[in-house]
Amino acid sequence: MPTKSGKTANEMYFTANPNSEHHYQNFEFELLNHKLHFTTDSGVFSKSTVDFGTRTMLEALETVIINDGKILDLGTGYGPVGIAIAKAMSRQVDMVDVNERALELAQQNAQKNGVTQLTRIFQSNIYDKITDKYALILTNPPIRAGKAMVTVMLQDAIKHLQPGGKLIAVLQKKQGAPSAQKNMMTIFGNARIIAKNKGYYILESTYDSNTNI
């Protein structure tokens, strides 16, 4: 989708090196009952505030039992999900993205919010640099990057979960949440809606090593 500058959304934040001019912003936002401080920039997703889908996904975690183990924030952007979880839960979180500009911001924001010891932030094109197994993978997938990318993010998560690990994803109903739920059901054998809010669905699947291949 072209922007006013003529760049596409894909060039803005789905690539490794966005070339849009810098426009830094700073704001505070409360997530998981902690006031957090963020610096953002052009070329990253939802640069002016923490987007509603991400907020809805984090709020839904109150109903989720998370096993021991590391957590993966897939497509971290400037880091609100991973930083909020590390701050509120004192859990070890890996935060990955393909966008180098976003990762630099995530590093700054982790330091600003005092969670550098709990976070590992590195570049990965979806799962290509992921080697660990996780208790939880969370993602707010980039719908405008295309269905194929979103499908890989959801379906390949099972390869990177420990037994009993969960995938949680947020998608809008009008942008494919029912289709995503079917895909997750096919791979995991289970996929439930754990929250809905203003057209956003929070989907959860659990890796059962006894039933999943």
Side-chain angles (χ1 to χ4, degrees), residues 12 17 21 55 64 82 85 91 96 106 110 119 130 137 139 151-152 159 194 196 200:
M12 292 288 284
N17 296 290
E21 293 183 6
R55 285 144 49 193
V64 177
I85 289 172
R91 299 285 297 254
V96 303
T119 55
I130 302 297
I137 297 174
T139 187
T151 298
V152 170
K159 303 174 185 177
I194 61 173
K196 294 181 185 179
Y200 285 87

Side-chain angles (χ1 to χ4, degrees), residues 143-164:
I143 301 301
R144 291 181 181 177
K147 184 176 181 179
M149 179 180 288
V150 174
T151 298
V152 170
M153 294 176 78
L154 299 180
Q155 292 187 348
D156 285 5
I158 197 168
K159 303 174 185 177
H160 305 282
L161 288 169
Q162 62 191 37

Side-chain angles (χ1 to χ4, degrees), residues 31-212:
L31 296 170
L32 298 178
N33 299 314
H34 287 265
K35 183 179 288 187
L36 302 175
H37 306 270
F38 297 108
T39 297
T40 69
D41 192 5
S42 56
V44 302
F45 175 64
S46 193
K47 66 180 181 180
S48 298
T49 187
V50 179
D51 68 287
F52 187 79
T54 291
R55 285 144 49 193
T56 303
M57 180 171 66
L58 286 171
E59 289 166 2
L61 288 182
E62 294 180 2
T63 67
V64 177
I65 297 174
I66 307 171
N67 290 345
D68 292 338
K70 292 206 303 182
I71 294 171
L72 175 64
D73 176 11
L74 180 66
T76 190
Y78 56 85
V81 170
I83 290 168
I85 289 172
K87 189 74 171 180
M89 302 181 187
S90 296
R91 299 285 297 254
Q92 291 288 333
V93 185
D94 283 355
M95 301 163 56
V96 303
D97 205 296
V98 70
N99 183 328
E100 292 182 353
R101 182 179 295 186
L103 291 171
E104 290 176 2
L105 292 167
Q107 292 278 11
Q108 294 175 31
N109 291 329
Q111 183 174 12
K112 187 179 298 187
N113 290 285
V115 295
T116 53
Q117 298 301 314
L118 292 170
T119 55
R120 187 167 68 112
I121 301 169
F122 59 97
Q123 187 177 38
S124 181
N125 184 4
I126 312 181
Y127 297 105
D128 70 345
K129 297 294 193 303
I130 302 297
T131 58
D132 288 340
K133 303 282 188 178
Y134 296 91
L136 175 66
I137 297 174
L138 298 110
T139 187
N140 183 352
I143 301 301
R144 291 181 181 177
K147 184 176 181 179
M149 179 180 288
V150 174
T151 298
V152 170
M153 294 176 78
L154 299 180
Q155 292 187 348
D156 285 5
I158 197 168
K159 303 174 185 177
H160 305 282
L161 288 169
Q162 62 191 37
K166 300 176 186 294
L167 166 68
I168 293 180
V170 54
L171 297 98
Q172 290 189 66
K173 181 179 180 181
K174 66 182 181 181
Q175 292 183 327
S179 175
Q181 186 180 11
K182 289 179 182 178
N183 286 336
M184 290 165 65
M185 177 66 75
T186 298
I187 297 300
F188 287 88
N190 62 87
R192 67 189 187 105
I193 301 167
I194 61 173
K196 294 181 185 179
N197 197 350
K198 297 182 180 178
Y200 285 87
Y201 284 29
I202 311 303
L203 306 176
E204 178 198 81
S205 288
T206 302
Y207 170 43
D208 183 345
S209 58
N210 294 316
T211 59
N212 294 124

